[in-house]
Amino acid sequence: MQSTRALLRHRSVWKGPHIVPLPIKRAAPGEKAPPPIRTQARAATILPNFVGLKFQVHNGQVYHDVTITEDMVGHKLGEFSPTRKRFTYKMSKNK
């Protein structure tokens, strides 16, 4: 039961984790890796069987490549695809 509590961090236990059915294809030994899984489901919870897979998560404009590690289990896919650009001050020539 402890492993499922990590997945239910901000969601009630009786609802369970928010799982989106995604087409998961693993490469057999000796084959090349399958293409990354493209998804717009930013709210999908990362499950333990996703570890080692590559996803392309949509941020509203482009798809960002995300490789799933063990530290990401229980988080949402959208946490690893930023939707906003970093703000940088621009130097002006006149000053």
Side-chain angles (χ1 to χ4, degrees):
M1 185 67 184
Q2 294 297 332
S3 62
T4 56
R5 281 196 185 164
L7 297 174
L8 300 173
R9 195 173 322 191
H10 300 290
R11 196 168 160 96
S12 64
V13 176
W14 65 271
K15 286 184 180 180
H18 178 68
I19 299 172
V20 176
L22 296 169
I24 307 234
K25 296 178 185 174
R26 295 219 179 250
E31 293 182 6
K32 67 176 190 175
I37 301 165
R38 283 190 141 194
T39 182
Q40 294 181 354
R42 298 173 53 85
T45 304
I46 298 174
L47 301 175
N49 60 344
F50 290 177
V51 173
L53 294 176
K54 290 189 177 187
F55 285 89
Q56 287 185 334
V57 184
H58 198 253
N59 73 345
Q61 292 183 342
V62 296
Y63 286 91
H64 286 279
D65 290 332
V66 177
T67 303
I68 305 299
T69 61
E70 287 188 20
D71 298 335
M72 297 178 180
V73 173
H75 291 270
K76 305 289 184 181
L77 282 174
E79 294 180 37
F80 306 103
S81 177
T83 57
R84 298 178 184 186
K85 291 183 182 177
R86 292 182 146 275
F87 178 77
T88 57
Y89 288 102
K90 294 182 181 176
M91 300 296 283
S92 64
K93 289 185 175 181
N94 296 337
K95 289 190 177 182

